[in-house]
Amino acid sequence: MKKIFRNLMMLLCALTALVSCDESGDKIYLDGFKASDLMASASDVKLSVDNSKDVVLSLAWQNPTLLSSDETKPAGSGVLKTYLQVSASENFTSEKEYTVTDLSKAFTGADLNAAAKDLGLSPDVSSPLYFRIKSLMGSNLDAAYSNVCQVKVTPYLIDMSYINILNEKKDQVLTKLYSPNSDGVYSGYMNASSWFHIWGKENDGTIWGNVGQDNHVYEMDNTESAWNIWFPGQTGIYYTVLDTKAKELKPTYINSMQLNGENMTYDAPNYAWTKVITTTADNTPVSIVATGAEYSKTTGTEDAAAVVKTMNYTLADGKMTDAATAGSVNIAKAGTYTITVKVGEHSQLEYTIVEGDQTTPEPEASNTLCMFSKDGKTLLAVMSLVSEGVYTCKYKPTSWENFRFIYVGENKDDKKTWYGADGEQFKLTSVDGAWDIWFGDENGETEFTVTADLNTMTWKYE
């Protein structure tokens, strides 16, 4: 009997201890939850490209102070969740919502314009936007909403159908690439010298460059740490795709063109492909096909890794349009014609068919020093001997253009001695392993006097 009583007492003590643990902590209550007070810095904002980077609207609010029933255990900083909501309707039937952790939010012109566009406001029309603060204290509790601030906003149209290609200093628009669907994928043809440096600037102000790290060639980036974009070491016409969605640049270098199966000639100073043909019958059809080398973030700038591309075109009204199969255009009357292909105003290829032989005779290159493209295939200029070992010529370089000085024999195909850079821009050497020679940040509009002195093994342009 005593043993049974002892066991019952032990069980009762255990239950008492269990209840004491369960009730050991007092419940803590939070009070003071209510709506925030919201204020706006402006009631009417007109947006434009000029103020896209400026702060045009600031909103500030005062959140409620949450009180704890136990002053030794204050409410945690993450208990209250706040969101800024923006709507085009006063009753907030649909809205954009921003998670906010501070007591204010500033909108630049670009930010507010993007919000206005997303909410359906019409460009160049003053329309109201409504702002309020949504507060939550726990997912199982109703939200509290602040007073509503109305701000009239006049947005502007952001034309995303093209991107501006800027020079290395970002102070000159060189050309444009186009996006027919305004989807952030821009493409077109452009002229580029070897290692040409550019930036891409969208009309919402976003500037695209290359990821600012080694071994990330043609990976696009729009942050402040980005480097400029550079082309491969070939000078010529490139079909260029700047894809902001895939964050990749794909330049395709056109290394040959064929007209009716025969090679056209590249006119380096004019960034043009030309061919003189003689037809013997009226309405003779002509077609043009190009061969390209596509570079990408997979290949980098390695020539050997570039992917070979066949590029077909339809021809009509002087315009060349990319196509799956080559089309043709007829030459009405039999005769001799000069056909020229160049990059047009809207970054497409254009062709001209002009009667007669319109090509400029290539200057005679015989027993003299010449300027050639870095691969020695294209004659850039024939230099004149001005004194023993000193040669000069006139030339219009483009930004960071690479080339070689080559002494030729009886003709330009008889390349006797190649001269490159000896580790410095203006120092020459003829030994194996020499670097390509390069110009600086020129724009292709100024003609310079180029001088090479084989006595001192130096060169200059001025």
Side-chain angles (χ1 to χ4, degrees), residues 186-229:
Y186 304 93
S187 63
Y189 291 84
M190 58 181 290
N191 302 325
S193 58
S194 57
W195 308 116
F196 189 47
H197 293 171
I198 62 167
W199 298 88
K201 183 177 182 180
E202 294 183 285
N203 287 320
D204 64 356
T206 304
I207 295 180
W208 290 91
N210 197 93
V211 168
Q213 300 177 35
D214 292 334
N215 303 317
H216 288 269
V217 180
Y218 298 144
E219 294 182 33
M220 298 295 94
D221 184 23
N222 61 356
T223 67
E224 291 185 359
S225 64
W227 294 345
N228 56 48
I229 305 165

mmCIF file of all heavy atoms in Angstrom, residues 186-229:
data_model
loop_
_atom_site.group_PDB
_atom_site.id
_atom_site.type_symbol
_atom_site.label_atom_id
_atom_site.label_comp_id
_atom_site.label_asym_id
_atom_site.label_seq_id
_atom_site.Cartn_x
_atom_site.Cartn_y
_atom_site.Cartn_z
ATOM 1 N N TYR A 186 19.207 43.768 -80.140
ATOM 2 C CA TYR A 186 19.522 44.757 -81.166
ATOM 3 C C TYR A 186 20.514 44.158 -82.167
ATOM 4 O O TYR A 186 21.424 43.425 -81.781
ATOM 5 C CB TYR A 186 20.138 45.998 -80.529
ATOM 6 C CG TYR A 186 19.281 46.636 -79.457
ATOM 7 C CD1 TYR A 186 19.446 46.299 -78.113
ATOM 8 C CD2 TYR A 186 18.311 47.572 -79.783
ATOM 9 C CE1 TYR A 186 18.664 46.873 -77.118
ATOM 10 C CE2 TYR A 186 17.525 48.161 -78.798
ATOM 11 C CZ TYR A 186 17.705 47.807 -77.467
ATOM 12 O OH TYR A 186 16.926 48.380 -76.500
ATOM 13 N N SER A 187 20.338 44.493 -83.440
ATOM 14 C CA SER A 187 21.232 43.937 -84.448
ATOM 15 C C SER A 187 21.364 44.893 -85.622
ATOM 16 O O SER A 187 20.551 45.807 -85.807
ATOM 17 C CB SER A 187 20.733 42.569 -84.929
ATOM 18 O OG SER A 187 19.465 42.693 -85.553
ATOM 19 N N GLY A 188 22.375 44.645 -86.445
ATOM 20 C CA GLY A 188 22.592 45.441 -87.646
ATOM 21 C C GLY A 188 24.041 45.345 -88.084
ATOM 22 O O GLY A 188 24.878 44.724 -87.412
ATOM 23 N N TYR A 189 24.338 45.962 -89.201
ATOM 24 C CA TYR A 189 25.693 45.968 -89.749
ATOM 25 C C TYR A 189 26.390 47.263 -89.360
ATOM 26 O O TYR A 189 25.764 48.329 -89.301
ATOM 27 C CB TYR A 189 25.647 45.825 -91.266
ATOM 28 C CG TYR A 189 25.190 44.458 -91.730
ATOM 29 C CD1 TYR A 189 23.836 44.161 -91.836
ATOM 30 C CD2 TYR A 189 26.114 43.463 -92.023
ATOM 31 C CE1 TYR A 189 23.411 42.901 -92.242
ATOM 32 C CE2 TYR A 189 25.697 42.194 -92.436
ATOM 33 C CZ TYR A 189 24.346 41.928 -92.544
ATOM 34 O OH TYR A 189 23.937 40.680 -92.930
ATOM 35 N N MET A 190 27.682 47.176 -89.089
ATOM 36 C CA MET A 190 28.453 48.367 -88.749
ATOM 37 C C MET A 190 29.902 48.179 -89.149
ATOM 38 O O MET A 190 30.398 47.051 -89.265
ATOM 39 C CB MET A 190 28.341 48.689 -87.255
ATOM 40 C CG MET A 190 28.794 47.596 -86.318
ATOM 41 S SD MET A 190 28.581 48.061 -84.569
ATOM 42 C CE MET A 190 29.848 49.328 -84.419
ATOM 43 N N ASN A 191 30.569 49.294 -89.390
ATOM 44 C CA ASN A 191 31.988 49.285 -89.711
ATOM 45 C C ASN A 191 32.791 49.327 -88.419
ATOM 46 O O ASN A 191 32.459 50.073 -87.500
ATOM 47 C CB ASN A 191 32.357 50.490 -90.575
ATOM 48 C CG ASN A 191 31.573 50.548 -91.872
ATOM 49 O OD1 ASN A 191 31.267 49.515 -92.467
ATOM 50 N ND2 ASN A 191 31.242 51.743 -92.325
ATOM 51 N N ALA A 192 33.848 48.542 -88.353
ATOM 52 C CA ALA A 192 34.674 48.521 -87.144
ATOM 53 C C ALA A 192 36.117 48.218 -87.523
ATOM 54 O O ALA A 192 36.381 47.313 -88.322
ATOM 55 C CB ALA A 192 34.162 47.488 -86.144
ATOM 56 N N SER A 193 37.020 48.987 -86.945
ATOM 57 C CA SER A 193 38.433 48.685 -87.109
ATOM 58 C C SER A 193 38.843 47.625 -86.103
ATOM 59 O O SER A 193 38.078 47.280 -85.196
ATOM 60 C CB SER A 193 39.272 49.955 -86.922
ATOM 61 O OG SER A 193 39.037 50.510 -85.643
ATOM 62 N N SER A 194 40.045 47.120 -86.240
ATOM 63 C CA SER A 194 40.495 46.061 -85.342
ATOM 64 C C SER A 194 40.574 46.585 -83.904
ATOM 65 O O SER A 194 41.056 47.686 -83.653
ATOM 66 C CB SER A 194 41.869 45.551 -85.779
ATOM 67 O OG SER A 194 42.811 46.606 -85.817
ATOM 68 N N TRP A 195 40.035 45.801 -82.994
ATOM 69 C CA TRP A 195 39.995 46.112 -81.559
ATOM 70 C C TRP A 195 39.249 47.411 -81.272
ATOM 71 O O TRP A 195 39.543 48.121 -80.312
ATOM 72 C CB TRP A 195 41.409 46.152 -80.964
ATOM 73 C CG TRP A 195 42.202 44.923 -81.288
ATOM 74 C CD1 TRP A 195 43.332 44.852 -82.027
ATOM 75 C CD2 TRP A 195 41.916 43.574 -80.888
ATOM 76 N NE1 TRP A 195 43.774 43.567 -82.125
ATOM 77 C CE2 TRP A 195 42.921 42.754 -81.438
ATOM 78 C CE3 TRP A 195 40.895 42.993 -80.129
ATOM 79 C CZ2 TRP A 195 42.951 41.383 -81.253
ATOM 80 C CZ3 TRP A 195 40.919 41.626 -79.947
ATOM 81 C CH2 TRP A 195 41.940 40.832 -80.496
ATOM 82 N N PHE A 196 38.284 47.719 -82.106
ATOM 83 C CA PHE A 196 37.454 48.918 -81.968
ATOM 84 C C PHE A 196 36.669 48.859 -80.654
ATOM 85 O O PHE A 196 36.079 47.837 -80.314
ATOM 86 C CB PHE A 196 36.502 48.968 -83.165
ATOM 87 C CG PHE A 196 35.725 50.234 -83.302
ATOM 88 C CD1 PHE A 196 36.339 51.457 -83.184
ATOM 89 C CD2 PHE A 196 34.364 50.207 -83.569
ATOM 90 C CE1 PHE A 196 35.617 52.629 -83.333
ATOM 91 C CE2 PHE A 196 33.630 51.359 -83.729
ATOM 92 C CZ PHE A 196 34.271 52.581 -83.603
ATOM 93 N N HIS A 197 36.636 49.974 -79.895
ATOM 94 C CA HIS A 197 35.998 50.009 -78.582
ATOM 95 C C HIS A 197 34.699 50.808 -78.629
ATOM 96 O O HIS A 197 34.667 51.926 -79.153
ATOM 97 C CB HIS A 197 36.937 50.656 -77.554
ATOM 98 C CG HIS A 197 38.167 49.855 -77.272
ATOM 99 N ND1 HIS A 197 39.225 50.319 -76.538
ATOM 100 C CD2 HIS A 197 38.515 48.592 -77.647
ATOM 101 C CE1 HIS A 197 40.162 49.404 -76.447
ATOM 102 N NE2 HIS A 197 39.750 48.342 -77.118
ATOM 103 N N ILE A 198 33.630 50.254 -78.058
ATOM 104 C CA ILE A 198 32.317 50.913 -78.081
ATOM 105 C C ILE A 198 31.574 50.677 -76.763
ATOM 106 O O ILE A 198 31.997 49.888 -75.928
ATOM 107 C CB ILE A 198 31.437 50.388 -79.239
ATOM 108 C CG1 ILE A 198 31.163 48.881 -79.057
ATOM 109 C CG2 ILE A 198 32.038 50.700 -80.592
ATOM 110 C CD1 ILE A 198 30.063 48.336 -79.943
ATOM 111 N N TRP A 199 30.444 51.389 -76.614
ATOM 112 C CA TRP A 199 29.431 51.136 -75.596
ATOM 113 C C TRP A 199 28.074 51.110 -76.288
ATOM 114 O O TRP A 199 27.926 51.694 -77.375
ATOM 115 C CB TRP A 199 29.411 52.233 -74.534
ATOM 116 C CG TRP A 199 30.668 52.394 -73.754
ATOM 117 C CD1 TRP A 199 31.749 53.170 -74.080
ATOM 118 C CD2 TRP A 199 30.993 51.779 -72.499
ATOM 119 N NE1 TRP A 199 32.716 53.073 -73.125
ATOM 120 C CE2 TRP A 199 32.279 52.230 -72.142
ATOM 121 C CE3 TRP A 199 30.321 50.903 -71.656
ATOM 122 C CZ2 TRP A 199 32.908 51.826 -70.962
ATOM 123 C CZ3 TRP A 199 30.941 50.509 -70.476
ATOM 124 C CH2 TRP A 199 32.223 50.961 -70.141
ATOM 125 N N GLY A 200 27.088 50.474 -75.686
ATOM 126 C CA GLY A 200 25.720 50.504 -76.196
ATOM 127 C C GLY A 200 24.822 51.215 -75.200
ATOM 128 O O GLY A 200 24.797 50.852 -74.020
ATOM 129 N N LYS A 201 24.083 52.243 -75.651
ATOM 130 C CA LYS A 201 23.213 53.002 -74.746
ATOM 131 C C LYS A 201 21.761 52.910 -75.204
ATOM 132 O O LYS A 201 21.408 53.396 -76.283
ATOM 133 C CB LYS A 201 23.636 54.472 -74.675
ATOM 134 C CG LYS A 201 22.814 55.285 -73.683
ATOM 135 C CD LYS A 201 23.312 56.717 -73.589
ATOM 136 C CE LYS A 201 22.510 57.507 -72.565
ATOM 137 N NZ LYS A 201 22.975 58.912 -72.467
ATOM 138 N N GLU A 202 20.915 52.278 -74.381
ATOM 139 C CA GLU A 202 19.492 52.198 -74.675
ATOM 140 C C GLU A 202 18.822 53.535 -74.368
ATOM 141 O O GLU A 202 19.358 54.379 -73.646
ATOM 142 C CB GLU A 202 18.839 51.076 -73.866
ATOM 143 C CG GLU A 202 19.316 49.687 -74.243
ATOM 144 C CD GLU A 202 18.597 48.601 -73.474
ATOM 145 O OE1 GLU A 202 18.904 48.416 -72.281
ATOM 146 O OE2 GLU A 202 17.728 47.943 -74.067
ATOM 147 N N ASN A 203 17.635 53.732 -74.921
ATOM 148 C CA ASN A 203 16.955 55.010 -74.766
ATOM 149 C C ASN A 203 16.324 55.209 -73.394
ATOM 150 O O ASN A 203 15.789 56.292 -73.113
ATOM 151 C CB ASN A 203 15.901 55.188 -75.861
ATOM 152 C CG ASN A 203 16.547 55.462 -77.200
ATOM 153 O OD1 ASN A 203 17.524 56.208 -77.280
ATOM 154 N ND2 ASN A 203 16.036 54.861 -78.256
ATOM 155 N N ASP A 204 16.383 54.210 -72.526
ATOM 156 C CA ASP A 204 15.980 54.423 -71.139
ATOM 157 C C ASP A 204 17.170 54.809 -70.277
ATOM 158 O O ASP A 204 17.059 54.911 -69.059
ATOM 159 C CB ASP A 204 15.293 53.175 -70.573
ATOM 160 C CG ASP A 204 16.229 51.967 -70.503
ATOM 161 O OD1 ASP A 204 17.386 52.068 -70.960
ATOM 162 O OD2 ASP A 204 15.795 50.917 -70.001
ATOM 163 N N GLY A 205 18.320 55.038 -70.941
ATOM 164 C CA GLY A 205 19.516 55.473 -70.233
ATOM 165 C C GLY A 205 20.461 54.354 -69.843
ATOM 166 O O GLY A 205 21.574 54.619 -69.376
ATOM 167 N N THR A 206 20.068 53.106 -70.023
ATOM 168 C CA THR A 206 20.924 51.975 -69.647
ATOM 169 C C THR A 206 22.113 51.875 -70.592
ATOM 170 O O THR A 206 21.950 51.882 -71.815
ATOM 171 C CB THR A 206 20.139 50.654 -69.686
ATOM 172 O OG1 THR A 206 19.005 50.761 -68.838
ATOM 173 C CG2 THR A 206 21.014 49.492 -69.226
ATOM 174 N N ILE A 207 23.310 51.800 -70.035
ATOM 175 C CA ILE A 207 24.528 51.696 -70.833
ATOM 176 C C ILE A 207 25.109 50.298 -70.660
ATOM 177 O O ILE A 207 25.326 49.830 -69.533
ATOM 178 C CB ILE A 207 25.558 52.758 -70.421
ATOM 179 C CG1 ILE A 207 25.015 54.166 -70.742
ATOM 180 C CG2 ILE A 207 26.889 52.532 -71.127
ATOM 181 C CD1 ILE A 207 25.945 55.282 -70.366
ATOM 182 N N TRP A 208 25.363 49.649 -71.792
ATOM 183 C CA TRP A 208 25.876 48.276 -71.782
ATOM 184 C C TRP A 208 27.337 48.248 -72.196
ATOM 185 O O TRP A 208 27.740 48.889 -73.163
ATOM 186 C CB TRP A 208 25.067 47.392 -72.736
ATOM 187 C CG TRP A 208 23.683 47.127 -72.244
ATOM 188 C CD1 TRP A 208 22.556 47.852 -72.494
ATOM 189 C CD2 TRP A 208 23.278 46.064 -71.371
ATOM 190 N NE1 TRP A 208 21.473 47.313 -71.840
ATOM 191 C CE2 TRP A 208 21.882 46.216 -71.146
ATOM 192 C CE3 TRP A 208 23.941 44.994 -70.768
ATOM 193 C CZ2 TRP A 208 21.158 45.343 -70.347
ATOM 194 C CZ3 TRP A 208 23.223 44.124 -69.977
ATOM 195 C CH2 TRP A 208 21.849 44.306 -69.764
ATOM 196 N N GLY A 209 28.110 47.485 -71.447
ATOM 197 C CA GLY A 209 29.500 47.227 -71.782
ATOM 198 C C GLY A 209 29.793 45.752 -71.598
ATOM 199 O O GLY A 209 28.886 44.916 -71.595
ATOM 200 N N ASN A 210 31.052 45.449 -71.433
ATOM 201 C CA ASN A 210 31.477 44.066 -71.204
ATOM 202 C C ASN A 210 31.690 43.849 -69.711
ATOM 203 O O ASN A 210 32.070 44.770 -68.988
ATOM 204 C CB ASN A 210 32.783 43.794 -71.952
ATOM 205 C CG ASN A 210 33.086 42.316 -72.119
ATOM 206 O OD1 ASN A 210 32.729 41.719 -73.120
ATOM 207 N ND2 ASN A 210 33.746 41.712 -71.138
ATOM 208 N N VAL A 211 31.440 42.634 -69.243
ATOM 209 C CA VAL A 211 31.721 42.311 -67.845
ATOM 210 C C VAL A 211 33.160 42.717 -67.524
ATOM 211 O O VAL A 211 34.097 42.394 -68.260
ATOM 212 C CB VAL A 211 31.514 40.808 -67.576
ATOM 213 C CG1 VAL A 211 32.075 40.415 -66.213
ATOM 214 C CG2 VAL A 211 30.030 40.462 -67.655
ATOM 215 N N GLY A 212 33.340 43.442 -66.446
ATOM 216 C CA GLY A 212 34.649 43.996 -66.114
ATOM 217 C C GLY A 212 35.587 43.018 -65.452
ATOM 218 O O GLY A 212 36.151 43.302 -64.391
ATOM 219 N N GLN A 213 35.774 41.873 -66.070
ATOM 220 C CA GLN A 213 36.694 40.849 -65.556
ATOM 221 C C GLN A 213 37.366 40.160 -66.734
ATOM 222 O O GLN A 213 36.794 40.073 -67.826
ATOM 223 C CB GLN A 213 35.952 39.799 -64.727
ATOM 224 C CG GLN A 213 35.218 40.327 -63.517
ATOM 225 C CD GLN A 213 34.445 39.220 -62.812
ATOM 226 O OE1 GLN A 213 34.887 38.073 -62.752
ATOM 227 N NE2 GLN A 213 33.278 39.545 -62.291
ATOM 228 N N ASP A 214 38.565 39.673 -66.507
ATOM 229 C CA ASP A 214 39.242 38.891 -67.544
ATOM 230 C C ASP A 214 38.481 37.602 -67.814
ATOM 231 O O ASP A 214 37.763 37.090 -66.945
ATOM 232 C CB ASP A 214 40.676 38.563 -67.106
ATOM 233 C CG ASP A 214 41.563 39.802 -67.046
ATOM 234 O OD1 ASP A 214 41.261 40.768 -67.766
ATOM 235 O OD2 ASP A 214 42.538 39.797 -66.268
ATOM 236 N N ASN A 215 38.642 37.088 -69.023
ATOM 237 C CA ASN A 215 38.044 35.811 -69.439
ATOM 238 C C ASN A 215 36.515 35.844 -69.469
ATOM 239 O O ASN A 215 35.862 34.820 -69.258
ATOM 240 C CB ASN A 215 38.530 34.663 -68.537
ATOM 241 C CG ASN A 215 40.036 34.530 -68.524
ATOM 242 O OD1 ASN A 215 40.685 34.617 -69.572
ATOM 243 N ND2 ASN A 215 40.618 34.350 -67.351
ATOM 244 N N HIS A 216 35.940 37.020 -69.696
ATOM 245 C CA HIS A 216 34.489 37.145 -69.843
ATOM 246 C C HIS A 216 34.159 37.924 -71.118
ATOM 247 O O HIS A 216 33.263 38.761 -71.126
ATOM 248 C CB HIS A 216 33.882 37.831 -68.621
ATOM 249 C CG HIS A 216 33.872 36.995 -67.389
ATOM 250 N ND1 HIS A 216 32.819 36.168 -67.038
ATOM 251 C CD2 HIS A 216 34.817 36.822 -66.421
ATOM 252 C CE1 HIS A 216 33.103 35.542 -65.912
ATOM 253 N NE2 HIS A 216 34.302 35.922 -65.521
ATOM 254 N N VAL A 217 34.891 37.630 -72.191
ATOM 255 C CA VAL A 217 34.725 38.358 -73.447
ATOM 256 C C VAL A 217 33.315 38.174 -73.992
ATOM 257 O O VAL A 217 32.787 37.058 -74.035
ATOM 258 C CB VAL A 217 35.762 37.873 -74.482
ATOM 259 C CG1 VAL A 217 35.596 38.624 -75.800
ATOM 260 C CG2 VAL A 217 37.165 38.066 -73.941
ATOM 261 N N TYR A 218 32.693 39.289 -74.360
ATOM 262 C CA TYR A 218 31.363 39.349 -74.978
ATOM 263 C C TYR A 218 30.237 38.953 -74.029
ATOM 264 O O TYR A 218 29.136 38.639 -74.460
ATOM 265 C CB TYR A 218 31.308 38.544 -76.273
ATOM 266 C CG TYR A 218 32.262 39.098 -77.306
ATOM 267 C CD1 TYR A 218 32.944 38.276 -78.182
ATOM 268 C CD2 TYR A 218 32.501 40.470 -77.384
ATOM 269 C CE1 TYR A 218 33.828 38.791 -79.117
ATOM 270 C CE2 TYR A 218 33.392 40.988 -78.302
ATOM 271 C CZ TYR A 218 34.064 40.155 -79.170
ATOM 272 O OH TYR A 218 34.934 40.682 -80.084
ATOM 273 N N GLU A 219 30.514 38.959 -72.720
ATOM 274 C CA GLU A 219 29.451 38.861 -71.722
ATOM 275 C C GLU A 219 29.071 40.287 -71.326
ATOM 276 O O GLU A 219 29.898 41.038 -70.807
ATOM 277 C CB GLU A 219 29.921 38.062 -70.504
ATOM 278 C CG GLU A 219 30.200 36.597 -70.806
ATOM 279 C CD GLU A 219 30.609 35.833 -69.560
ATOM 280 O OE1 GLU A 219 30.113 36.166 -68.471
ATOM 281 O OE2 GLU A 219 31.436 34.909 -69.683
ATOM 282 N N MET A 220 27.814 40.662 -71.589
ATOM 283 C CA MET A 220 27.393 42.046 -71.415
ATOM 284 C C MET A 220 27.049 42.356 -69.956
ATOM 285 O O MET A 220 26.583 41.506 -69.209
ATOM 286 C CB MET A 220 26.187 42.352 -72.292
ATOM 287 C CG MET A 220 26.441 42.208 -73.799
ATOM 288 S SD MET A 220 27.643 43.406 -74.429
ATOM 289 C CE MET A 220 29.175 42.456 -74.341
ATOM 290 N N ASP A 221 27.263 43.627 -69.580
ATOM 291 C CA ASP A 221 26.980 44.074 -68.219
ATOM 292 C C ASP A 221 26.576 45.542 -68.272
ATOM 293 O O ASP A 221 27.099 46.304 -69.093
ATOM 294 C CB ASP A 221 28.233 43.895 -67.351
ATOM 295 C CG ASP A 221 27.990 44.242 -65.895
ATOM 296 O OD1 ASP A 221 26.824 44.187 -65.461
ATOM 297 O OD2 ASP A 221 28.958 44.586 -65.193
ATOM 298 N N ASN A 222 25.624 45.939 -67.424
ATOM 299 C CA ASN A 222 25.171 47.333 -67.407
ATOM 300 C C ASN A 222 25.425 48.011 -66.068
ATOM 301 O O ASN A 222 24.753 48.975 -65.710
ATOM 302 C CB ASN A 222 23.683 47.417 -67.758
ATOM 303 C CG ASN A 222 22.801 46.671 -66.771
ATOM 304 O OD1 ASN A 222 23.302 46.023 -65.864
ATOM 305 N ND2 ASN A 222 21.497 46.750 -66.950
ATOM 306 N N THR A 223 26.408 47.503 -65.313
ATOM 307 C CA THR A 223 26.752 48.113 -64.035
ATOM 308 C C THR A 223 27.937 49.059 -64.214
ATOM 309 O O THR A 223 28.587 49.092 -65.263
ATOM 310 C CB THR A 223 27.102 47.044 -62.992
ATOM 311 O OG1 THR A 223 28.332 46.385 -63.381
ATOM 312 C CG2 THR A 223 26.000 45.995 -62.893
ATOM 313 N N GLU A 224 28.227 49.810 -63.170
ATOM 314 C CA GLU A 224 29.311 50.783 -63.235
ATOM 315 C C GLU A 224 30.681 50.115 -63.361
ATOM 316 O O GLU A 224 31.652 50.758 -63.749
ATOM 317 C CB GLU A 224 29.284 51.684 -61.998
ATOM 318 C CG GLU A 224 28.077 52.626 -61.951
ATOM 319 C CD GLU A 224 28.138 53.579 -60.778
ATOM 320 O OE1 GLU A 224 29.105 53.484 -59.993
ATOM 321 O OE2 GLU A 224 27.226 54.415 -60.660
ATOM 322 N N SER A 225 30.772 48.843 -63.029
ATOM 323 C CA SER A 225 32.061 48.142 -63.107
ATOM 324 C C SER A 225 32.347 47.597 -64.505
ATOM 325 O O SER A 225 33.400 46.990 -64.729
ATOM 326 C CB SER A 225 32.093 46.996 -62.091
ATOM 327 O OG SER A 225 31.105 46.013 -62.405
ATOM 328 N N ALA A 226 31.436 47.797 -65.456
ATOM 329 C CA ALA A 226 31.616 47.239 -66.808
ATOM 330 C C ALA A 226 32.782 47.903 -67.534
ATOM 331 O O ALA A 226 33.084 49.078 -67.330
ATOM 332 C CB ALA A 226 30.332 47.405 -67.612
ATOM 333 N N TRP A 227 33.427 47.121 -68.388
ATOM 334 C CA TRP A 227 34.433 47.652 -69.318
ATOM 335 C C TRP A 227 33.741 47.990 -70.629
ATOM 336 O O TRP A 227 32.596 47.592 -70.867
ATOM 337 C CB TRP A 227 35.511 46.598 -69.583
ATOM 338 C CG TRP A 227 36.349 46.244 -68.402
ATOM 339 C CD1 TRP A 227 36.456 46.925 -67.224
ATOM 340 C CD2 TRP A 227 37.219 45.103 -68.277
ATOM 341 N NE1 TRP A 227 37.329 46.295 -66.370
ATOM 342 C CE2 TRP A 227 37.814 45.177 -66.983
ATOM 343 C CE3 TRP A 227 37.554 44.049 -69.111
ATOM 344 C CZ2 TRP A 227 38.723 44.217 -66.536
ATOM 345 C CZ3 TRP A 227 38.448 43.097 -68.664
ATOM 346 C CH2 TRP A 227 39.033 43.177 -67.392
ATOM 347 N N ASN A 228 34.457 48.717 -71.509
ATOM 348 C CA ASN A 228 33.886 48.921 -72.837
ATOM 349 C C ASN A 228 33.933 47.624 -73.637
ATOM 350 O O ASN A 228 34.629 46.673 -73.279
ATOM 351 C CB ASN A 228 34.594 50.064 -73.581
ATOM 352 C CG ASN A 228 36.094 49.861 -73.694
ATOM 353 O OD1 ASN A 228 36.565 48.789 -74.071
ATOM 354 N ND2 ASN A 228 36.859 50.877 -73.350
ATOM 355 N N ILE A 229 33.170 47.584 -74.716
ATOM 356 C CA ILE A 229 33.106 46.416 -75.597
ATOM 357 C C ILE A 229 34.177 46.578 -76.675
ATOM 358 O O ILE A 229 34.404 47.687 -77.161
ATOM 359 C CB ILE A 229 31.725 46.317 -76.263
ATOM 360 C CG1 ILE A 229 30.612 46.303 -75.203
ATOM 361 C CG2 ILE A 229 31.627 45.081 -77.153
ATOM 362 C CD1 ILE A 229 29.233 46.567 -75.779
#
